[in-house]
Amino acid sequence: MKKFGVKDQVGYALGDIGGSFVNLFIGGFFLMFCTYVLGVSPYFMGTMFLLGKFFDAICNVIMGTIPDRWRLGKSGDKFLPYINISKWILAASCLLAFANVSSWGSAATHVWVVFVYLFFCVAYTADSIPYGSLASVITNDPVERTKLSCARAIGGMVVGLGFLSFVPMFIYDKSHSIVPNAFFKIAIVFSILSVLAYTGLVKLTTERIHDDQQEGAKSDYRFKDAFTVAIKNRPLIGMMFASIGSLLMINGVSQLAPIVFAERYHMPGAFAINSFISIGVTLILFVIVPKLVVKFNKRNLVIATSIFSLVATALMTLVIFENVYVFMVLYNLATIGSSVFVMVVWALVTDCIDYAELQTGKHYEGTLYSLYSFARKVGMGLGSALGSYALGWVGFVSGAKSQSPAVAEGVLKMYTGMPIIAFIIMLIGVGFIYNLNSKRTNEMYAALKERRAS
């Protein structure tokens, strides 16, 4: 068996890149496409996002049980074969989501929007659950898992900041009006890149941890047992709660960002500049976060940075910055707690999965990750709904070429105010519910190492 190394980290990062090309593009621009191009109400979109993500969350739990029950192919791998199939479905969902059906009429357009969004939810679930669970079978070493978590964070950053930042340059013309067909052209490029990235994941990563289940055989797995283990797993419950807060912010503000820069600051290109500033902050964090984790541990680092960001975003909501460049720099510094959480969250989640193994001696990676992902999808749904409803609350007019100054000001307040709620929820989850401090984590891995050796 090949030793864990750079190939695994690069491959795992490619997996998040593949998912992000579709997930982040839809998360950041589907609302804009539907309101500006298809003329759908933001209230309709908000309700659809909320109900759609709850549907998605249920799909998560179902998908999580499948790899725990059955194996695909002859490799003996648990998760990679599922990823190899689902990557095609996910790419197709991206193409369908940005098809311009504005000529179909109002009723047909609304039905189509619901259909393609639910199809995307199912496609992304079929892909993201095996991918998220994959880290727990690539390695069982805590340090190596932290490396995988950082690699995953960098993967999302590559797309979110390196590719999505350029999208506004193509979807607006010289007069700052939306170009309807540009969305679909970008979707074609992102779908191809998504498939290529997932192909790289499958080729570069290695599943090193296998159980005794035979290929094609049905295990003695019972969902009731796995669910009971999950609800008694206090660290997992804490991470589920914290992640709802994190995704509430990420999905909510990501929808508002392009509108803020286009309508409030009349500078659509600032979206790209803001992304480059975020890249700089993230790269600095990528270098120092592992060192800070060693010194202060993951949990304490998240708590400290979240407190800072809670105070900083509250101040930014009270004070208006007219200079767009000053605003971008301060906003990225103020939300640094979110970036830190994203970098270490997957290592924290694998700690929760290993905690279950310590308690039961059984492997429920797929189910436990799917239940955690259930909470993530709830957070995504609430965030997307809140972002959509926020547009309606401030008087956003669907189909209009531009918005009034009052609406633009309201969107800005929502953009800076939404993180306040998010950081409060994150602090409750990590600070009060999640209880694996440095001492308990070290004791857990020492006990697991002894058990696995025997």
Side-chain angles (χ1 to χ4, degrees):
M1 183 71 68
K2 298 178 182 178
K3 291 185 178 180
F4 177 89
V6 176
K7 285 181 63 177
D8 293 282
Q9 296 174 64
V10 172
Y12 202 65
L14 284 173
D16 200 56
I17 289 173
S20 295
F21 271 121
V22 178
N23 183 44
L24 295 185
F25 184 40
I26 290 179
F29 292 93
F30 188 58
L31 173 63
M32 177 180 284
F33 175 74
C34 290
T35 52
Y36 279 92
V37 178
L38 303 184
V40 179
S41 160
Y43 286 116
F44 179 88
M45 294 298 295
T47 303
M48 183 194 70
F49 284 143
L50 184 61
L51 297 179
K53 282 302 179 184
F54 275 100
F55 164 78
D56 191 13
I58 295 172
C59 293
N60 269 254
V61 178
I62 297 172
M63 183 63 208
T65 67
I66 294 175
D68 283 342
R69 292 174 184 268
W70 296 288
R71 300 289 185 270
L72 293 180
K74 299 180 180 180
S75 65
D77 290 337
K78 187 173 183 178
F79 300 111
L80 288 174
Y82 285 94
I83 296 172
N84 215 18
I85 295 173
S86 61
K87 65 184 181 183
W88 299 103
I89 306 173
L90 184 64
S93 73
C94 185
L95 297 174
L96 294 176
F98 292 98
N100 188 353
V101 297
S102 56
S103 62
W104 286 12
S106 179
T109 297
H110 282 71
V111 171
W112 173 258
V113 168
V114 173
F115 165 74
V116 296
Y117 187 70
L118 293 181
F119 180 75
F120 158 70
C121 289
V122 173
Y124 188 60
T125 293
D127 179 88
S128 64
I129 295 301
Y131 170 70
S133 306
L134 182 63
S136 60
V137 296
I138 291 176
T139 175
N140 55 20
D141 181 90
V143 176
E144 293 173 351
R145 285 181 171 178
T146 300
K147 292 180 180 179
L148 289 176
S149 183
C150 288
R152 179 169 186 170
I154 290 296
M157 182 193 74
V158 167
V159 177
L161 307 181
F163 284 85
L164 256 67
S165 59
F166 295 103
V167 170
M169 297 182 181
F170 297 96
I171 63 175
Y172 289 98
D173 59 21
K174 293 182 180 179
S175 63
H176 295 170
S177 298
I178 290 290
V179 181
N181 294 330
F183 291 91
F184 186 73
K185 293 177 181 177
I186 296 170
I188 293 174
V189 175
F190 282 3
S191 295
I192 294 172
L193 292 175
S194 175
V195 170
L196 292 175
Y198 275 121
T199 301
L201 161 72
V202 173
K203 290 184 177 298
L204 293 177
T205 55
T206 302
E207 291 194 21
R208 295 174 177 81
I209 303 170
H210 296 89
D211 53 31
D212 297 328
Q213 184 178 341
Q214 298 297 315
E215 300 168 5
K218 186 175 180 180
S219 70
D220 59 354
Y221 169 92
R222 291 194 300 173
F223 177 74
K224 180 180 178 181
D225 295 339
F227 183 77
T228 301
V229 169
I231 61 176
K232 292 182 178 179
N233 190 324
R234 179 172 169 175
L236 182 64
I237 300 299
M239 289 309 303
M240 291 170 70
F241 197 82
S243 292
I244 288 176
S246 174
L247 273 299
L248 183 72
M249 171 184 165
I250 292 173
N251 277 54
V253 302
S254 67
Q255 296 183 113
L256 300 179
I259 300 175
V260 166
F261 294 118
E263 301 289 352
R264 175 59 177 79
Y265 290 103
H266 306 291
M267 189 177 174
F271 184 81
I273 299 172
N274 182 66
S275 297
F276 283 118
I277 295 173
S278 186
I279 287 175
V281 173
T282 304
L283 289 176
I284 294 172
L285 290 175
F286 183 73
V287 174
I288 66 175
V289 162
K291 299 177 181 178
L292 293 175
V293 166
V294 172
K295 187 173 183 179
F296 300 107
N297 82 51
K298 301 184 288 287
R299 177 173 178 265
N300 290 341
L301 185 61
V302 169
I303 292 172
T305 53
S306 294
I307 291 174
F308 166 79
S309 290
L310 173 62
V311 176
T313 51
L315 291 174
M316 288 202 69
T317 304
L318 296 174
V319 180
I320 296 176
F321 298 91
E322 293 297 337
N323 187 296
V324 65
Y325 299 102
V326 172
F327 172 76
M328 289 187 291
V329 171
L330 292 179
Y331 188 84
N332 279 284
L333 292 176
T335 55
I336 199 171
S338 175
S339 299
V340 171
F341 182 82
V342 169
M343 281 193 169
V344 302
V345 62
W346 305 110
L348 289 167
V349 171
T350 50
D351 286 347
C352 299
I353 292 174
D354 283 338
Y355 179 80
E357 182 187 346
L358 179 68
Q359 300 298 312
T360 66
K362 294 185 177 181
H363 293 270
Y364 292 121
E365 298 96 344
T367 303
L368 293 180
Y369 181 81
S370 69
L371 291 171
Y372 164 71
S373 187
F374 179 97
R376 283 179 57 83
K377 294 300 174 65
V378 170
M380 289 179 185
L382 291 174
S384 297
L386 188 58
S388 300
Y389 289 148
L391 294 181
W393 294 335
V394 301
F396 183 92
V397 180
S398 296
K401 291 184 177 180
S402 62
Q403 304 296 319
S404 69
V407 170
E409 197 72 28
V411 175
L412 175 64
K413 287 293 184 182
M414 292 294 178
Y415 183 65
T416 56
M418 206 176 297
I420 298 173
I421 302 172
F423 286 117
I424 292 174
I425 297 174
M426 289 165 61
L427 283 168
I428 294 174
V430 179
F432 295 97
I433 303 176
Y434 185 92
N435 62 342
L436 283 180
N437 56 28
S438 181
K439 180 182 177 181
R440 294 191 66 184
T441 301
N442 291 335
E443 290 174 348
M444 176 181 73
Y445 278 111
L448 284 173
K449 184 177 181 179
E450 182 179 350
R451 177 186 295 178
R452 289 163 179 167
S454 61

